[in-house]
Amino acid sequence: VVHLGRDEPMKWPDELEYPVFNIPIPIHIFIWSFAGFLPSTGTSQMGNCTVDYSSQQLENQMPMSPDYDISDADVVLFGLPNMLWGFPGSYTLPREKSANQMWISTCEEPYKRDGLSKSDCRLMLDEPTINMMDASSSYDMSTDIPTLFDTVYVEDLLKGSPDFSARPSDEIATLALSDCDSEWRNTWLEEIMAEINNTGNKVLSYGKCFHNTDEYPGENPNDLNRLHGWMNRAGARRFKLVAENVLQPWYVTEKIWNALAEGAVPVYLGAPEVKQMMPEGSFLYADDFPNTQALVQRMVDFTPEDFAKAQAWRQKPTSEWGMWQDSWLRGRHTMMNRICEFAAEKKMAGKEFKSGVTPAAHDLACCPADPSCCMNGKTPSVL
């Protein structure tokens, strides 16, 4: 496991069969720059697929010399956020690209965070960089090899809801957020929390943003939900406010699944693709309402029958849980095998990849009016 933290699912779910891949020829992947969390799931089944993580031991998790030897690689992965750290100093590509080698851009962050100096994937919008790539992989289902955000386990989702009737009735929702830099998200949260307060109810905010209460640790100090950084059933209430830091197609992170695992009904602000990804009827989508007042009124008017309907999906097979299965089958636990399968198919078909001299560090024309575009020469803060 490479860079897999305690917040990430570590193993493959027992309820889902690990897919079989067709990799008839040897494919060797070289990780040029960190390309997302890379679990060890399925490595015993990789066969002809091998992955070289040696660059992870280098400065800034990537080679800093364009002459670093990658000649034995069939596929080279470029984790775009790392190439922005201290831009342009960390922008390094191999000096030349061979037509025998497939290059894939990978991204696990937003393609652009307007006005923010945090790491992102704005190189996805940079023509000199992307013109050297043969394929792309991100959470966006339109990419060549989609790599969706991980969801949570069946056992967590089947626990259902805690007994919310035993908790103060005016504590209608929770919020757990410690990345406070998104003005778009903050504005919505300020509005909805103020409107909730106007109804005589309140939001328990556990994180650094809008913090107003300490999180209840739970009964059992060894409870995995207590140890998990983003789930706490003991601290849950009927609703949980879940907002992404940007609005971009398919950028639906694990936060909303974590809210369901707490037993809450998520109130979600983010990409509309969430309606394809989540169990039908399991959440309230902010943009379905004409204004914040109408959304909050719907929360206040929620009846026990409404809550039961919002939880009904838990009794259905996982194949009917939106894209729960796809989130695993097309997630990071299968990422390497799927890339190898994709590359093997192209090579077997005699595909000739792009070739030529690569660009050096340059101004990013994708965002000329944004002074944070080149990161101001600073290492971005940790998300």
Side-chain angles (χ1 to χ4, degrees):
V1 179
V2 179
H3 286 273
L4 195 66
R6 65 182 177 88
D7 295 336
E8 306 295 327
M10 296 288 289
K11 64 181 182 65
W12 188 258
D14 296 333
E15 297 81 5
L16 193 62
E17 185 175 352
Y18 193 79
V20 176
F21 296 96
N22 180 28
I23 311 171
I25 59 175
I27 298 293
H28 177 60
I29 298 175
F30 182 82
I31 310 292
W32 179 268
S33 59
F34 183 46
F37 299 106
L38 304 175
S40 58
T41 304
T43 52
S44 63
Q45 302 177 37
M46 291 180 74
N48 277 331
C49 183
T50 58
V51 182
D52 184 355
Y53 297 116
S54 66
S55 66
Q56 309 302 322
Q57 308 303 319
L58 301 176
E59 181 183 355
N60 211 28
Q61 298 176 325
M62 61 182 291
M64 299 308 291
S65 168
D67 297 311
Y68 192 90
D69 185 13
I70 56 169
S71 58
D72 64 342
D74 300 291
V75 177
V76 184
L77 297 190
F78 297 88
L80 299 185
N82 281 58
M83 297 176 68
L84 273 178
W85 288 4
F87 189 92
S90 58
Y91 182 92
T92 305
L93 289 172
R95 193 174 301 279
E96 293 189 22
K97 185 180 186 307
S98 166
N100 295 320
Q101 203 171 63
M102 173 184 278
W103 285 13
I104 301 177
S105 60
T106 68
C107 172
E108 70 277 1
E109 299 289 354
Y111 286 11
K112 188 172 185 299
R113 304 177 194 264
D114 290 324
L116 300 181
S117 59
K118 290 190 174 181
S119 181
D120 61 24
C121 294
R122 65 189 68 199
L123 287 173
M124 279 283 198
L125 309 175
D126 179 56
E127 289 188 8
T129 301
I130 294 306
N131 285 344
M132 301 303 301
M133 301 294 159
D134 300 293
S136 63
S137 175
S138 82
Y139 47 79
D140 191 327
M141 288 294 291
S142 68
T143 55
D144 301 286
I145 309 133
T147 304
L148 302 176
F149 288 101
D150 297 309
T151 177
V152 292
Y153 295 115
V154 169
E155 53 265 36
D156 289 317
L157 294 168
L158 288 182
K159 289 178 181 177
S161 299
D163 182 8
F164 291 133
S165 66
R167 299 173 185 182
S169 59
D170 64 336
E171 297 176 352
I172 194 172
T174 62
L175 172 65
L177 180 66
S178 292
D179 178 2
C180 312
D181 289 344
S182 171
E183 183 176 346
W184 174 72
R185 174 165 60 188
N186 290 347
T187 297
W188 180 74
L189 289 172
E190 288 170 355
E191 290 177 356
I192 193 170
M193 292 176 73
E195 189 60 40
I196 288 173
N197 289 338
N198 289 339
T199 67
N201 294 287
K202 55 187 174 183
V203 176
L204 302 180
S205 183
Y206 298 126
K208 296 178 181 178
C209 312
F210 308 102
H211 181 86
N212 61 20
T213 188
D214 292 325
E215 194 166 2
Y216 180 63
E219 300 286 340
N220 181 0
N222 296 317
D223 184 356
L224 289 180
N225 280 321
R226 174 176 179 259
L227 298 176
H228 194 293
W230 305 106
M231 289 191 293
N232 190 333
R233 288 170 56 82
R237 296 299 184 266
R238 286 169 286 166
F239 298 95
K240 186 170 187 178
L241 306 182
V242 180
E244 308 296 356
N245 51 28
V246 295
L247 179 61
Q248 291 178 11
W250 290 105
Y251 188 68
V252 179
T253 64
E254 71 287 344
K255 298 179 184 67
I256 187 169
W257 285 107
N258 292 337
L260 291 179
E262 289 185 349
V265 174
V267 180
Y268 184 78
L269 179 72
E273 288 83 3
V274 70
K275 294 183 179 182
Q276 301 177 50
M277 301 185 75
M278 305 306 296
E280 185 177 0
S282 63
F283 66 101
L284 298 180
Y285 184 56
D287 284 348
D288 282 343
F289 296 83
N291 51 52
T292 303
Q293 184 178 12
L295 171 57
V296 171
Q297 192 60 51
R298 179 70 183 108
M299 295 169 65
V300 172
D301 292 342
F302 231 65
T303 65
E305 291 74 23
D306 290 330
F307 198 82
K309 289 180 180 179
Q311 302 288 329
W313 62 272
R314 299 182 197 271
Q315 309 307 315
K316 299 178 180 180
T318 58
S319 59
E320 298 181 34
W321 289 6
M323 290 176 64
W324 181 86
Q325 289 189 354
D326 277 341
S327 294
W328 286 98
L329 295 172
R330 300 189 186 192
R332 287 176 288 194
H333 286 258
T334 64
M335 179 182 181
M336 294 297 110
N337 271 325
R338 287 186 295 117
I339 288 175
C340 279
E341 184 176 60
F342 181 84
E345 178 185 353
K346 300 301 182 185
K347 280 184 169 285
M348 293 282 287
K351 171 73 174 179
E352 183 172 302
F353 304 118
K354 296 176 182 178
S355 62
V357 178
T358 60
H362 54 277
D363 291 335
L364 301 185
C366 59
C367 45
D370 183 353
S372 70
C373 187
C374 291
M375 315 304 289
N376 297 318
K378 299 177 181 178
T379 300
S381 53
V382 178
L383 301 182

